Short mmCIF file of all heavy atoms in Angstrom, two decimals:
data_model
loop_
_atom_site.label_atom_id
_atom_site.label_comp_id
_atom_site.label_asym_id
_atom_site.label_seq_id
_atom_site.Cartn_x
_atom_site.Cartn_y
_atom_site.Cartn_z
N GLU A 525 37.76 81.23 98.31
CA GLU A 525 37.29 82.43 98.88
C GLU A 525 38.51 83.05 99.64
O GLU A 525 39.05 82.51 100.54
CB GLU A 525 36.20 82.21 99.85
CG GLU A 525 35.63 83.49 100.52
CD GLU A 525 34.47 83.19 101.48
OE1 GLU A 525 34.15 82.02 101.59
OE2 GLU A 525 34.02 84.12 102.02
N GLY A 526 38.75 84.34 99.25
CA GLY A 526 39.83 85.08 99.89
C GLY A 526 41.23 84.60 99.53
O GLY A 526 42.19 85.05 100.18
N LEU A 527 41.41 83.73 98.50
CA LEU A 527 42.73 83.23 98.12
C LEU A 527 43.02 83.49 96.62
O LEU A 527 42.09 83.65 95.86
CB LEU A 527 42.77 81.73 98.39
CG LEU A 527 42.65 81.32 99.88
CD1 LEU A 527 42.66 79.81 99.96
CD2 LEU A 527 43.72 81.93 100.71
N LEU A 528 44.29 83.45 96.26
CA LEU A 528 44.67 83.56 94.85
C LEU A 528 44.42 82.19 94.21
O LEU A 528 44.28 81.16 94.88
CB LEU A 528 46.12 83.95 94.75
CG LEU A 528 46.51 85.37 95.24
CD1 LEU A 528 47.98 85.51 95.20
CD2 LEU A 528 45.76 86.38 94.36
N PRO A 529 44.36 82.12 92.89
CA PRO A 529 44.16 80.79 92.19
C PRO A 529 45.24 79.89 92.57
O PRO A 529 46.44 80.27 92.66
CB PRO A 529 44.16 81.19 90.69
CG PRO A 529 43.83 82.64 90.68
CD PRO A 529 44.37 83.23 91.88
N PRO A 530 44.91 78.59 92.82
CA PRO A 530 45.95 77.63 93.21
C PRO A 530 46.83 77.22 92.01
O PRO A 530 46.39 77.29 90.85
CB PRO A 530 45.12 76.43 93.67
CG PRO A 530 43.85 76.53 92.86
CD PRO A 530 43.57 77.96 92.70
N PRO A 531 48.07 76.87 92.26
CA PRO A 531 48.93 76.46 91.15
C PRO A 531 48.54 75.00 90.72
O PRO A 531 47.98 74.24 91.49
CB PRO A 531 50.34 76.50 91.75
CG PRO A 531 50.10 76.22 93.17
CD PRO A 531 48.73 76.94 93.51
N VAL A 532 48.82 74.70 89.49
CA VAL A 532 48.53 73.34 88.96
C VAL A 532 49.73 72.51 88.89
O VAL A 532 49.65 71.34 88.50
CB VAL A 532 47.88 73.49 87.60
CG1 VAL A 532 46.55 74.23 87.64
CG2 VAL A 532 48.83 74.21 86.63
N MET A 533 50.95 73.06 89.14
CA MET A 533 52.14 72.27 89.05
C MET A 533 52.58 71.80 90.40
O MET A 533 52.92 72.62 91.33
CB MET A 533 53.32 73.15 88.48
CG MET A 533 54.59 72.33 88.25
SD MET A 533 55.95 73.46 87.96
CE MET A 533 56.09 74.12 89.64
N PRO A 534 52.57 70.55 90.72
CA PRO A 534 52.99 70.03 91.99
C PRO A 534 54.50 69.96 92.06
O PRO A 534 55.19 69.90 91.05
CB PRO A 534 52.37 68.66 92.06
CG PRO A 534 52.30 68.20 90.67
CD PRO A 534 52.05 69.48 89.81
N LEU A 535 55.01 69.89 93.26
CA LEU A 535 56.44 69.61 93.48
C LEU A 535 56.76 68.24 93.19
O LEU A 535 55.90 67.34 93.15
CB LEU A 535 56.83 70.01 94.91
CG LEU A 535 56.90 71.45 95.31
CD1 LEU A 535 57.16 71.55 96.77
CD2 LEU A 535 57.96 72.17 94.43
N SER A 536 58.06 67.93 92.94
CA SER A 536 58.43 66.57 92.65
C SER A 536 58.25 65.74 93.94
O SER A 536 58.63 66.14 95.04
CB SER A 536 59.90 66.57 92.28
OG SER A 536 60.37 65.25 92.18
N PRO A 537 57.67 64.51 93.80
CA PRO A 537 57.41 63.72 94.98
C PRO A 537 58.66 63.01 95.55
O PRO A 537 58.61 62.42 96.55
CB PRO A 537 56.45 62.70 94.47
CG PRO A 537 56.73 62.55 93.00
CD PRO A 537 57.11 63.95 92.56
N ARG A 538 59.79 63.13 94.75
CA ARG A 538 60.98 62.48 95.20
C ARG A 538 61.47 63.06 96.48
O ARG A 538 61.60 64.28 96.58
CB ARG A 538 62.05 62.53 94.16
CG ARG A 538 63.36 61.72 94.53
CD ARG A 538 64.33 61.66 93.42
NE ARG A 538 64.70 62.96 92.97
CZ ARG A 538 65.64 63.20 92.05
NH1 ARG A 538 66.18 62.11 91.46
NH2 ARG A 538 65.92 64.44 91.68
N VAL A 539 61.75 62.31 97.50
CA VAL A 539 62.09 62.78 98.81
C VAL A 539 63.62 62.81 98.84
O VAL A 539 64.31 61.88 98.50
CB VAL A 539 61.53 61.88 99.93
CG1 VAL A 539 61.99 62.37 101.31
CG2 VAL A 539 60.05 61.81 99.81
N ARG A 540 64.18 63.92 99.34
CA ARG A 540 65.62 64.13 99.49
C ARG A 540 66.04 63.42 100.77
O ARG A 540 65.24 63.10 101.69
CB ARG A 540 65.99 65.56 99.58
CG ARG A 540 65.48 66.38 98.42
CD ARG A 540 66.22 65.90 97.18
NE ARG A 540 65.72 66.71 95.97
CZ ARG A 540 65.22 66.15 94.93
NH1 ARG A 540 65.08 64.83 94.80
NH2 ARG A 540 64.86 66.90 93.90
N PRO A 541 67.32 63.13 100.96
CA PRO A 541 67.76 62.33 102.18
C PRO A 541 67.38 63.03 103.42
O PRO A 541 66.90 62.44 104.33
CB PRO A 541 69.29 62.29 101.94
CG PRO A 541 69.44 62.35 100.47
CD PRO A 541 68.37 63.22 99.97
N ARG A 542 67.58 64.41 103.48
CA ARG A 542 67.31 65.14 104.71
C ARG A 542 65.77 65.06 104.95
O ARG A 542 65.30 64.97 106.04
CB ARG A 542 67.81 66.51 104.64
CG ARG A 542 67.46 67.34 105.85
CD ARG A 542 68.12 68.68 105.77
NE ARG A 542 67.68 69.61 106.89
CZ ARG A 542 68.15 69.53 108.10
NH1 ARG A 542 69.03 68.67 108.47
NH2 ARG A 542 67.65 70.41 109.08
N SER A 543 64.98 65.33 103.91
CA SER A 543 63.52 65.34 104.07
C SER A 543 62.98 63.94 104.50
O SER A 543 62.09 63.88 105.31
CB SER A 543 62.86 65.75 102.75
OG SER A 543 63.31 66.97 102.37
N ALA A 544 63.55 62.89 103.96
CA ALA A 544 63.07 61.55 104.36
C ALA A 544 63.40 61.25 105.73
O ALA A 544 62.52 60.70 106.45
CB ALA A 544 63.73 60.54 103.43
N SER A 545 64.54 61.65 106.21
CA SER A 545 64.87 61.37 107.57
C SER A 545 63.97 62.14 108.56
O SER A 545 63.58 61.57 109.56
CB SER A 545 66.34 61.72 107.80
OG SER A 545 66.51 63.10 107.59
N MET A 546 63.66 63.38 108.16
CA MET A 546 62.78 64.16 109.03
C MET A 546 61.35 63.59 108.98
O MET A 546 60.67 63.71 109.99
CB MET A 546 62.83 65.60 108.66
CG MET A 546 64.12 66.27 109.05
SD MET A 546 64.10 68.03 108.83
CE MET A 546 63.77 68.11 107.13
N SER A 547 60.91 63.09 107.84
CA SER A 547 59.55 62.58 107.73
C SER A 547 59.36 61.33 108.53
O SER A 547 58.33 61.10 109.16
CB SER A 547 59.21 62.28 106.25
OG SER A 547 59.33 63.49 105.55
N SER A 548 60.46 60.52 108.62
CA SER A 548 60.34 59.30 109.36
C SER A 548 60.41 59.52 110.84
O SER A 548 60.05 58.57 111.59
CB SER A 548 61.48 58.32 108.95
OG SER A 548 62.71 58.94 109.22
N GLN A 549 60.83 60.66 111.22
CA GLN A 549 60.93 60.91 112.69
C GLN A 549 59.54 61.09 113.36
O GLN A 549 59.40 60.82 114.47
CB GLN A 549 61.81 62.15 112.95
CG GLN A 549 63.27 61.96 112.55
CD GLN A 549 64.11 63.21 112.72
OE1 GLN A 549 63.51 64.22 113.22
NE2 GLN A 549 65.34 63.17 112.37
N ASN A 550 58.64 61.65 112.62
CA ASN A 550 57.40 62.05 113.23
C ASN A 550 56.21 61.71 112.35
O ASN A 550 55.34 62.53 112.08
CB ASN A 550 57.38 63.54 113.59
CG ASN A 550 56.29 63.88 114.64
OD1 ASN A 550 55.67 62.95 115.11
ND2 ASN A 550 56.17 65.12 114.90
N GLY A 551 56.21 60.51 111.81
CA GLY A 551 55.03 60.05 111.11
C GLY A 551 54.83 60.72 109.77
O GLY A 551 53.76 61.32 109.60
N GLY A 552 55.78 60.62 108.87
CA GLY A 552 55.51 61.14 107.48
C GLY A 552 55.63 62.64 107.44
O GLY A 552 56.62 63.28 107.81
#
Side-chain angles (χ1 to χ4, degrees):
E525 182 179 359
L527 298 175
L528 294 173
V532 296
M533 184 195 70
L535 287 175
S536 173
R538 184 172 59 177
V539 180
R540 305 294 181 238
R542 177 174 172 81
S543 302
S545 61
M546 287 188 300
S547 299
S548 59
Q549 293 175 5
N550 198 7

